[in-house]
């Protein structure tokens, strides 16, 4: 029970990797705040979570790219639990277009959620977390290697690694650790709704597709005291996909 008595906030927690991470933290004793903008999906996610572990569960409808909503959400967590120990910046989205069709609005939509949303929660975490706090940013293999038609996503996920390093530097003085996970292909709606996966343009062998629980286990490690000396790092969780020539 690495998270007994701790309070964990997970963004993008209505499904996929976020919900799997929330379940993992709950199984290990945490009370968990589920943050998502999908108000229809959150109640089912919370109901699924309630069977896990002894802690409490809180649902928060929030657009992670809107600073005031992020501040309000974290304020509600502090009001209910009086502490915040872990933040997992997991909410994310992709836009699929070739460069010549992308607009500034497309770029801003992706950056606002995948990068600036993580910054807003990092800022709130720095304002409210105590010594021993941990932030885990869910980036992507696209931060390192990418493909056609996803330029804003690849750029946002690469910049999230940079934010991870900056926050780790400033977090050290506060006793807060900040690390990133780079998942490969993971069995969630985001993967199977990817038009390039659907069309076969992005080929995936079965052994290259991981489960949300695989990522959740790595997130929980980085957030735990076992990773007390792990600061500012990026951990690939891709089944070895990026190792191949
Ligand atoms: N599935 C993969 O293959 C894969 C690979 C690498 C990285 N990732 C990353 O993992 C994270 C989770 O992805 P997933 O596969 O579970 O996807 P998903 O689409 O199943 O879940 C994403 C969640 O984020 C929420 N969300 C999106 N925009 C939001 C916003 N503005 N405010 C609040 N919530 C918002 C969605 O409602 C959804 O519940 C994402 O950051 C994604 O980029 C996924």
């Amino acid at each position: 029970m690495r998270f007994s008595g701790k309070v964990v906030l997970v963004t993008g927690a209505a499904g996929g990797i976020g919900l799997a991470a929330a379940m993992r933290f709950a199984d290990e004793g945490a009370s968990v705040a589920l943050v998502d903008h999908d108000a229809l999906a959150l109640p089912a996610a919370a109901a699924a979570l309630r069977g896990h572990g002894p802690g409490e569960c809180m649902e928060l409808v929030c657009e992670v790219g809107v600073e005031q909503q992020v501040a309000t959400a974290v304020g509600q967590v502090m009001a209910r639990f009086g502490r915040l120990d872990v933040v997992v910046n997991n909410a994310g989205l992709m836009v699929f277009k070739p460069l010549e069709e992308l607009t500034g609005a497309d770029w801003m939509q992706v950056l606002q959620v995948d990068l600036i949303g993580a910054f807003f929660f990092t800022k709130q975490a720095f304002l409210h977390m105590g010594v021993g706090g941990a932030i885990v940013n869910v980036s992507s293999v696209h931060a390192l290697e990418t493909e056609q038609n996803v330029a804003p996503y690849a750029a946002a996920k690469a910049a999230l690694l940079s934010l991870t390093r900056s926050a780790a530097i400033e977090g050290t003085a506060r006793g807060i650790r900040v690390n990133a996970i780079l998942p490969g292909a993971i069995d969630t709606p985001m993967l199977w709704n990817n038009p390039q996966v659907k069309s076969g343009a992005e080929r995936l062998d079965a052994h290259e597709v991981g489960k949300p629980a695989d990522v959740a286990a790595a997130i929980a490690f980085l957030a735990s005291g076992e990773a007390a000396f792990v600061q500012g790092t990026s951990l690939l969780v891709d089944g070895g996909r990026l190792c191949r020539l």
Side-chain angles (χ1 to χ4, degrees), residues 12 17 36-37 62-64 90 138-139 153 157 183-184 186 188 190:
I17 292 168
D36 206 288
H37 69 165
C62 169
E63 274 290 339
V64 303
N90 167 77
V138 180
S139 176
Y153 181 75
K157 292 299 191 180
I186 306 298
T188 71
M190 180 181 260

Side-chain angles (χ1 to χ4, degrees), residues 97-189:
K97 285 184 187 175
L99 279 169
E100 67 273 21
E101 290 177 19
L102 280 168
T103 63
D106 292 327
W107 276 89
M108 289 315 300
Q109 182 191 5
V110 175
L111 290 169
Q112 198 68 35
V113 174
D114 295 12
L115 175 63
I116 298 172
F119 157 67
F120 290 150
F121 273 99
T122 301
K123 176 176 172 178
Q124 290 299 319
F126 275 34
L127 290 170
H128 294 286
M129 264 180 185
V131 169
I135 298 171
V136 182
N137 293 326
V138 180
S139 176
S140 167
V141 288
H142 283 273
L144 305 180
E145 306 272 341
T146 192
E147 60 187 345
Q148 71 276 17
N149 298 341
V150 295
Y153 181 75
K157 292 299 191 180
L160 186 55
L161 299 188
S162 180
L163 173 63
T164 301
R165 287 187 289 271
S166 298
I169 290 165
E170 295 185 36
T172 296
R174 298 168 177 275
I176 296 172
R177 294 181 306 103
V178 189
N179 293 289
I181 292 279
L182 289 73
I186 306 298
D187 180 10
T188 71

